[in-house]
């Protein structure tokens, strides 16, 4: 994903009037290209970006909330494991919402979020059995229950429940166990997202609402060209016309 984004960003940017302009390489990228060829320089930048993102994610969303909960244990004499885990989870969600709010103010990210909205509207149009045209797509919501934004929020909520069963006093062990349990938390969250995508029950829809509300941060209403890009992206994945034919004929599997 990072490689595809950087490949695209390397060639074009957009000015304030929406015109495409050639992007100049940054100082670090220019220095790397002098030392290495373009392909090797790109690989170095990608690996550095991924490593930095991993450390930032672990620090912000695992280590920092755990440290804050540890601070409450030491200085405010809060020793109830359930209360501490709940506080840790609330802090994690609060950091995530603030992070999204700040990122959403960036000009380039706003444009990315418009494409995100185009993606959701296109999938919603398809799942309602309509042909993929910009005129049809415009009618549909930019929110979707199977969105990755919803998934991240569900991960954080599920982690509160899972981490309540961890009863160790050592801050180091708490941190290690939280890292080790990430696949468990992600697996449970993924199954819920799958269920939400298939079910229209009131309970599932109610549980999905917080994630849908959070998508107001990560999606924007797209323009017509972005919807056309989203249509091309769907066509690159599968034959949506055949999908609609099978839907209308009742041939789709659950």
């Amino acid at each position: 994903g990072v490689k595809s984004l950087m490949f695209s960003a390397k060639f074009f940017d957009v000015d304030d009037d929406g015109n495409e302009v050639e992007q100049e390489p940054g100082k670090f990228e220019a220095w790397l290209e002098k030392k290495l060829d373009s392909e090797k320089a790109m690989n170095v930048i990608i690996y550095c970006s991924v490593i930095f993102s991993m450390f930032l994610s672990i620090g912000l969303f695992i280590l920092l909330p755990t440290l804050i909960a540890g601070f409450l244990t030491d200085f405010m004499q809060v020793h109830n494991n359930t209360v501490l885990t709940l506080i840790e989870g609330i802090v994690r969600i609060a950091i995530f919402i603030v992070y999204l709010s700040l990122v959403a103010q960036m000009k380039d990210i706003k444009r990315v979020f418009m494409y995100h909205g185009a993606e959701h509207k296109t999938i919603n149009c398809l799942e309602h059995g309509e042909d993929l045209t910009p005129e049809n797509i415009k009618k549909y919501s930019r929110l979707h229950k199977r969105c990755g934004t919803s998934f991240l929020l569900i991960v954080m909520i599920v982690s509160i429940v899972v981490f309540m069963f961890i009863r160790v006093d050592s801050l180091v062990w708490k941190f290690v166990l939280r890292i080790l349990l990430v696949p468990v938390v992600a697996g449970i969250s993924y199954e819920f997202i799958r269920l939400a995508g298939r079910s229209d029950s009131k309970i599932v829809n109610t549980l999905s609402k917080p994630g849908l509300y959070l998508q107001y941060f990560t999606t924007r209403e797209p323009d017509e060209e972005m919807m056309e890009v989203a249509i091309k992206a769907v066509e690159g994945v599968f034959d949506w016309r055949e999908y609609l034919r099978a839907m209308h004929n009742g041939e789709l599997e659950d």
Side-chain angles (χ1 to χ4, degrees), residues 216-234:
Y216 283 110
F217 286 105
T218 62
T219 62
R220 295 284 185 274
E221 286 296 330
D223 59 32
E224 188 167 314
E225 287 185 353
M226 292 175 176
M227 290 183 238
E228 291 173 351
V229 170
I231 294 170
K232 288 295 184 182
V234 172

Side-chain angles (χ1 to χ4, degrees), residues 84-116:
L84 286 170
T85 304
L86 185 60
I87 292 172
E88 181 183 339
I90 292 171
V91 170
R92 184 177 292 111
I93 293 171
I95 292 172
F96 180 56
I97 292 174
V98 171
Y99 174 81
L100 283 182
S101 302
L102 294 174
V103 168
Q105 304 308 311
M106 300 170 62
K107 184 185 72 172
D108 290 344
I109 297 300
K110 285 180 181 178
R111 188 166 177 81
V112 171
F113 286 172
M114 289 173 73
Y115 277 107
H116 192 192

Side-chain angles (χ1 to χ4, degrees), residues 29-37 40-41:
E29 186 178 351
W31 178 82
L32 275 177
E33 288 182 351
K34 288 181 181 178
K35 302 294 181 181
L36 306 168
D37 61 56
K40 288 182 179 179

Side-chain angles (χ1 to χ4, degrees), residues 129-240:
E130 291 205 52
D131 285 349
L132 296 185
T133 64
E135 293 72 24
N136 288 339
I137 291 170
K138 285 177 184 177
K139 299 182 294 185
Y140 290 95
S141 172
R142 70 178 201 253
L143 312 180
H144 197 285
K145 287 194 292 186
R146 293 197 307 274
C147 175
T149 306
S150 297
F151 175 74
L152 289 175
L153 182 62
I154 292 166
V155 164
M156 294 181 186
I157 294 172
V158 169
S159 70
I160 295 174
V161 178
V162 172
F163 294 164
M164 281 182 180
F165 294 95
I166 299 177
R167 299 185 178 274
V168 293
D169 295 326
S170 169
L171 191 62
V172 173
W173 271 110
K174 281 184 179 181
F175 176 66
V176 170
L177 289 171
R178 275 151 175 69
I179 295 292
L180 293 176
L181 284 171
V182 165
V184 176
V185 172
I188 296 170
S189 303
Y190 174 73
E191 292 303 325
F192 177 80
I193 282 286
R194 286 189 64 195
L195 175 64
R198 297 194 305 265
S199 174
D200 283 321
S201 74
K202 290 183 178 180
I203 295 176
V204 172
N205 286 340
T206 300
L207 293 174
S208 298
K209 281 185 178 179
L212 291 174
Y213 291 144
L214 199 60
Q215 290 174 39
Y216 283 110
F217 286 105
T218 62
T219 62
R220 295 284 185 274
E221 286 296 330
D223 59 32
E224 188 167 314
E225 287 185 353
M226 292 175 176
M227 290 183 238
E228 291 173 351
V229 170
I231 294 170
K232 288 295 184 182
V234 172
E235 289 176 347
V237 176
F238 72 108
D239 186 345
W240 60 266

Side-chain angles (χ1 to χ4, degrees), residues 58-76 78 84 87-89 91-92 95 170-175 178:
I58 292 171
L60 274 180
F61 302 116
I62 297 179
L63 183 57
L64 182 58
T66 304
L67 289 174
I68 291 174
F71 169 82
L72 293 175
T73 302
D74 296 335
F75 294 96
M76 298 181 66
V78 179
L84 286 170
I87 292 172
E88 181 183 339
V91 170
R92 184 177 292 111
I95 292 172
S170 169
L171 191 62
V172 173
W173 271 110
K174 281 184 179 181
F175 176 66
R178 275 151 175 69

